[in-house]
Amino acid sequence: MSDSCFVVRLNRYLDLTPTEKTAIASLEREPREYASGNTLWQEGDDLSELLIVHQGWALSESRLSTGKRQILRFHFSGDLIGASGIAFRDAPSSIVAATDMVVCRFPRRALGETFIQHPRLAALFFSISQMESIDLYDRLRALGRSEGKARLANLFLSIAARMRAVSGQHNPVVRIPLTQSDLGDAVGLTQVHVNRLIRQMTEEKLITRNRSTVTLLDEPRLIEISRFIDRFSSLDSSWFPSPRG
Amino acid sequence: MSDSCFVVRLNRYLDLTPTEKTAIASLEREPREYASGNTLWQEGDDLSELLIVHQGWALSESRLSTGKRQILRFHFSGDLIGASGIAFRDAPSSIVAATDMVVCRFPRRALGETFIQHPRLAALFFSISQMESIDLYDRLRALGRSEGKARLANLFLSIAARMRAVSGQHNPVVRIPLTQSDLGDAVGLTQVHVNRLIRQMTEEKLITRNRSTVTLLDEPRLIEISRFIDRFSSLDSSWFPSPRG
DNA sequence: CGAGCTTTTGAATCGCCTCAAGGCCGGTGG
DNA sequence: CCACCGGCCTTGAGGCGATTCAAAAGCTCG
């Protein structure tokens, strides 16, 4: 049996034992497909399952009663979706497919069993969730304390960093299947202003963008503008319990 | 031995067994004191210990190279500080005492042992960290998609909600030992503008503020303005493993 | 009582928003 | 095969929210 995408993802941070791999793989239920634009679940829905992204992109978003939307996070291959709702019964945000997707389901109750049988995996889950918190810190700082151009630069760099961590390649061309509206809702700007900023950044030879690809032309300057810090490179597992089995 | 403040905090979400309580309490090392304004650690410092707030307020902050500051989180009694840095060796943010404080230290390695011995506690740690992620989602939404007055209203309400969850009391007067600069750095506004907004909100009889207390005069309207959602009331532990010992 | 914070207030400016209209491009149906 | 339609992108004009700079007026503590 070939490794599931979740195993591949977790294995990036830790050398999983065969037992651990089997344990994780056995949690994944049959995959399900969603077409681009579909809603996987909505804010407030009751969550009995978590999802693991097999293929495609999803984004979690939340709407204000004014109709405005904030995009909270992007989910790529190997990401666990819904963990942030595990402390509550209800989903804190909606999940929407940004491209066609394949996701595996993962029963929520199974998580408890995993915590007992595989403390090292529990530690890994905990660590990954902390990495995501740090990612949120960085975005908070970007939204709170930097202007439009820097916010966009930060967004492009952080998406690129995550994609590159998965692919292992360092390509200046990044596939970002988002409209200008989406970008705006992610960084707290209007679509119109995103358009103007992208034009400016193009004139300054920082990036180019067409359709769903963004090319990072001048990464050093993008990093300088946005004070981007790449967090996703390594994980400190020195405090983890030792593996079983 | 009386319950440590960390036990009290965790016990709010789960009925801890005596064994679990002992396990947690034994992790806490001798307390240490910090005066208001002191820095407990700085962005980039090597973290070998986590801290638990015994008394007082701390805030985690991060500085841009422009000198601007973003306050990322507030830490109250019972909060675990530094978990977000556990995935890495280095602290992602600085911690500063907002009042005089007493904190207990908690060796990072001990966390691994706890995960083995007490899977239910591991699940609880995981859940609490997810609650904090959701809190970050809410702040991200506030910073990205609402204007100044709503951001401040949101901040005041969320601090009040957390304080009330600890105290069990519902008092309109909330002690918030922060300057206008601090408030600005938390919600992404300048001190000057925070001042003007507070004056407006005072004129509209939404709040009053002097020194380090804020009085919430009209909570329904504050909630309406800011679309505040109180997340910290309950925890879903239905998926937790059963207790040992 | 003075030093050093915090707060208050004004004036000018800028970043971003809203409203609005038009252009592009791909897909669908006649 | 072309006409049309709906999403997306582009661009302009005007306005508002928030910033910067600046200066003065409390507070608090030694």
Side-chain angles (χ1 to χ4, degrees):
Chain A
M1 175 176 162
S2 75
D3 288 347
S4 80
C5 59
F6 197 35
V7 168
V8 171
R9 163 67 181 273
L10 296 180
N11 212 41
R12 223 164 63 212
Y13 301 115
L14 216 52
D15 272 327
L16 300 177
T17 66
T19 321
E20 286 170 336
K21 288 185 184 179
T22 315
I24 295 165
S26 72
L27 290 173
E28 292 187 19
R29 299 215 179 133
E30 82 266 28
R32 185 175 290 175
E33 299 187 11
Y34 292 92
S36 170
N38 275 29
T39 300
L40 311 213
W41 67 63
Q42 288 214 301
E43 224 165 324
D45 280 3
D46 191 67
L47 290 183
S48 62
E49 296 181 324
L50 310 177
L51 303 178
I52 296 152
V53 182
H54 216 94
Q55 281 172 35
W57 266 58
L59 38 90
S60 48
E61 60 178 44
S62 169
R63 274 178 198 281
L64 304 203
S65 50
T66 54
K68 292 187 177 182
R69 176 177 70 145
Q70 175 68 45
I71 293 180
L72 302 167
R73 188 187 283 291
F74 301 101
H75 304 277
F76 306 143
S77 177
D79 281 351
L80 181 65
I81 303 182
S84 59
I86 207 165
F88 309 99
R89 270 225 161 320
D90 303 335
S93 64
S94 306
I95 306 290
V96 177
T99 66
D100 291 347
M101 299 187 69
V102 180
V103 303
C104 293
R105 296 175 298 143
F106 184 112
R108 182 191 224 212
R109 298 201 70 82
L111 212 53
E113 191 56 33
T114 308
F115 271 59
I116 297 178
Q117 298 299 329
H118 302 281
R120 208 168 70 120
L121 290 180
L124 180 56
F125 284 175
F126 185 67
S127 282
I128 289 177
S129 99
Q130 295 302 344
M131 288 175 73
E132 294 181 351
S133 280
I134 292 175
D135 186 46
L136 285 172
Y137 283 167
D138 289 338
R139 300 196 55 210
L140 201 62
R141 195 181 49 178
L143 288 205
R145 283 291 177 232
S146 64
E147 52 175 32
K149 203 184 290 180
R151 293 191 210 173
L152 275 181
N154 201 298
L155 181 66
F156 293 147
L157 287 169
S158 89
I159 290 175
R162 289 178 62 188
M163 306 280 280
R164 287 166 176 174
V166 176
S167 72
Q169 298 176 23
H170 191 92
N171 196 326
V173 180
V174 187
R175 173 139 197 284
I176 301 185
L178 301 174
T179 64
Q180 292 181 350
S181 288
D182 293 332
L183 295 173
D185 287 339
V187 298
L189 298 170
T190 56
Q191 175 270 322
V192 174
H193 199 59
V194 167
N195 180 285
R196 292 193 230 269
L197 289 174
I198 287 179
R199 179 158 52 80
Q200 274 185 46
M201 294 171 83
T202 306
E203 284 166 4
E204 296 169 22
K205 301 200 189 333
L206 290 170
I207 61 164
T208 58
R209 180 191 116 103
N210 52 9
R211 303 187 179 245
S212 51
T213 63
V214 171
T215 307
L216 309 178
L217 297 178
D218 191 342
E219 286 196 47
R221 277 192 55 221
L222 288 169
I223 291 172
E224 189 195 336
I225 290 172
S226 66
R227 273 90 196 181
F228 174 72
I229 306 169
D230 185 0
R231 311 276 194 185
F232 282 84
S233 36
S234 75
L235 185 76
D236 180 16
S237 59
S238 64
W239 64 275
F240 283 24
S242 35
R244 293 185 185 174
Chain B
M1 174 176 161
S2 76
D3 286 349
S4 81
C5 59
F6 197 34
V7 168
V8 172
R9 163 67 182 274
L10 295 180
N11 213 41
R12 223 165 63 213
Y13 301 116
L14 214 53
D15 271 327
L16 300 178
T17 65
T19 319
E20 286 170 335
K21 287 185 184 180
T22 315
I24 295 165
S26 72
L27 289 174
E28 292 188 19
R29 300 215 179 133
E30 82 267 30
R32 185 175 288 175
E33 299 185 12
Y34 293 91
S36 171
N38 275 28
T39 300
L40 310 213
W41 67 62
Q42 288 214 303
E43 224 165 326
D45 279 3
D46 190 67
L47 290 183
S48 62
E49 297 181 323
L50 310 177
L51 303 178
I52 296 153
V53 181
H54 218 93
Q55 283 173 33
W57 266 59
L59 37 91
S60 48
E61 60 177 43
S62 169
R63 275 178 197 282
L64 304 203
S65 49
T66 55
K68 292 188 177 181
R69 175 178 71 146
Q70 176 68 45
I71 293 180
L72 301 167
R73 187 186 284 288
F74 302 101
H75 304 278
F76 306 144
S77 178
D79 281 350
L80 181 65
I81 303 182
S84 59
I86 207 165
F88 309 98
R89 269 225 162 318
D90 303 336
S93 63
S94 306
I95 306 291
V96 177
T99 66
D100 291 347
M101 299 188 69
V102 180
V103 304
C104 292
R105 294 175 298 142
F106 184 111
R108 181 190 224 210
R109 298 201 69 82
L111 212 53
E113 192 56 32
T114 309
F115 271 59
I116 297 178
Q117 298 299 329
H118 301 280
R120 208 169 70 123
L121 290 180
L124 181 56
F125 285 174
F126 184 67
S127 282
I128 289 178
S129 100
Q130 296 303 343
M131 288 175 74
E132 293 181 352
S133 280
I134 291 175
D135 186 46
L136 285 173
Y137 283 169
D138 289 338
R139 300 197 54 211
L140 201 62
R141 195 180 50 179
L143 288 205
R145 283 292 177 230
S146 64
E147 53 174 33
K149 203 184 291 182
R151 293 191 211 173
L152 275 181
N154 202 300
L155 180 67
F156 293 147
L157 288 169
S158 87
I159 290 175
R162 289 179 61 189
M163 306 280 280
R164 287 166 177 174
V166 175
S167 73
Q169 299 176 22
H170 192 91
N171 194 327
V173 180
V174 186
R175 173 137 196 283
I176 301 186
L178 301 175
T179 65
Q180 292 180 350
S181 287
D182 293 333
L183 295 174
D185 286 339
V187 300
L189 298 171
T190 56
Q191 174 270 324
V192 174
H193 198 59
V194 167
N195 180 284
R196 294 192 230 269
L197 289 174
I198 287 178
R199 178 158 52 80
Q200 275 185 46
M201 292 171 84
T202 306
E203 284 165 5
E204 297 169 20
K205 300 202 190 330
L206 290 169
I207 60 164
T208 58
R209 179 190 116 103
N210 51 8
R211 306 186 180 243
S212 53
T213 63
V214 171
T215 307
L216 309 178
L217 296 178
D218 191 342
E219 287 197 47
R221 276 192 55 222
L222 288 170
I223 291 172
E224 189 195 338
I225 289 172
S226 66
R227 274 93 194 179
F228 174 72
I229 307 169
D230 186 0
R231 311 276 194 185
F232 282 83
S233 36
S234 74
L235 184 78
D236 180 17
S237 59
S238 63
W239 62 276
F240 282 25
S242 32
R244 293 185 185 173

